[in-house]
């Protein structure tokens, strides 16, 4: 029973940690989130494994993250992510872009951020995201639209004002 769990974690653990990192915006909190979810999943692995383990664990990560946010009393955010390796190009420019992205994403609501991460990082459609978040696909589209609009407003307010007149 548990050898399947170990194989799954070896194969998919890094992807789960990356997903949790995007949800949390902090590598260490993301690792803690994955660990908490995997501990709970281990107990029920025989049932989870026969279903869709990726879907089940992504759903559990999103729900646990939302639950953590309710329990947390502090709102500390990491100032920089210094242990990330650059993909190529100028390291300083990449860090500046990454820091700006995290700052903007952290300004979104939990739901907007979860929807954007599930849509653009996990490449899920609205129905799959709705299943994970336990809401209607139309609600997913509303969160995505509002989250993207807020990001657009922050990136270029002048452009948003022009497109806002057309809406």
């Amino acid at each position: 029973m548990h050898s399947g769990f170990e194989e799954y974690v070896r194969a998919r653990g890094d992807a789960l940690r990356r997903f949790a990192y995007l949800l949390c915006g902090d590598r260490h909190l993301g690792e803690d989130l994955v660990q908490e979810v995997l501990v709970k999943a281990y107990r029920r692995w025989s049932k989870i494994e026969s279903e869709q383990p990726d879907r089940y664990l992504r759903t559990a990560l999103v729900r646990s993250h939302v639950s953590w946010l309710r329990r947390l009393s502090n709102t500390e955010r990491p100032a920089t992510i210094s242990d990330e390796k650059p993909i190529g190009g100028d390291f300083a420019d990449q860090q500046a872009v990454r820091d700006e992205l995290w700052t903007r994403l952290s300004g979104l609501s939990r739901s907007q951020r979860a929807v954007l991460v599930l849509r653009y990082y996990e490449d899920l459609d609205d129905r799959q995201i709705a299943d994970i978040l336990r809401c209607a696909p139309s609600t997913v589209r509303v969160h995505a639209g509002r989250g993207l609009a807020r990001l657009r407003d922050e990136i270029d307010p002048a452009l948003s004002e022009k497109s806002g007149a057309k809406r």
Side-chain angles (χ1 to χ4, degrees), residues 3-103:
S3 66
F5 177 80
E6 292 170 8
E7 290 172 16
Y8 178 85
V9 171
R10 268 195 290 281
R12 298 289 298 148
D14 287 340
L16 292 173
R17 282 190 295 277
R18 284 189 301 270
F19 178 67
Y21 169 67
L22 290 171
L23 284 175
C24 297
D26 180 277
R27 185 173 60 91
H28 300 292
L29 285 176
E31 289 172 354
D32 290 346
L33 181 64
V34 169
Q35 183 176 0
E36 180 180 298
V37 167
L38 288 176
V39 165
K40 291 176 183 176
Y42 180 79
R43 297 178 195 135
R44 302 184 52 210
W45 188 250
S46 59
K47 182 178 181 200
I48 294 168
E49 186 176 33
S50 66
E51 296 173 1
Q52 296 177 338
D54 281 341
R55 179 178 171 197
Y56 178 90
L57 291 172
R58 275 195 308 262
T59 301
L61 285 167
V62 169
R63 291 181 183 156
S64 292
H65 173 64
V66 170
S67 175
W68 274 18
L69 290 174
R70 287 185 195 126
R71 291 187 310 221
L72 289 178
S73 61
N74 65 27
T75 57
E76 278 187 57
R77 300 278 182 223
T80 60
I81 303 172
S82 59
D83 58 344
E84 293 290 316
K85 293 185 172 102
I87 296 170
D90 184 27
F91 178 76
D93 288 342
Q94 289 179 354
Q95 282 300 112
V97 168
R98 183 175 288 134
D99 289 346
E100 183 178 352
L101 175 62
W102 283 122
T103 300

Side-chain angles (χ1 to χ4, degrees), residues 22 114-124 129 144 148 151:
L22 290 171
V115 165
L116 293 180
V117 168
L118 289 166
R119 179 179 280 181
Y120 295 107
Y121 181 73
E122 289 293 320
D123 199 29
L124 300 180
I129 296 169
L148 290 172
L151 291 174

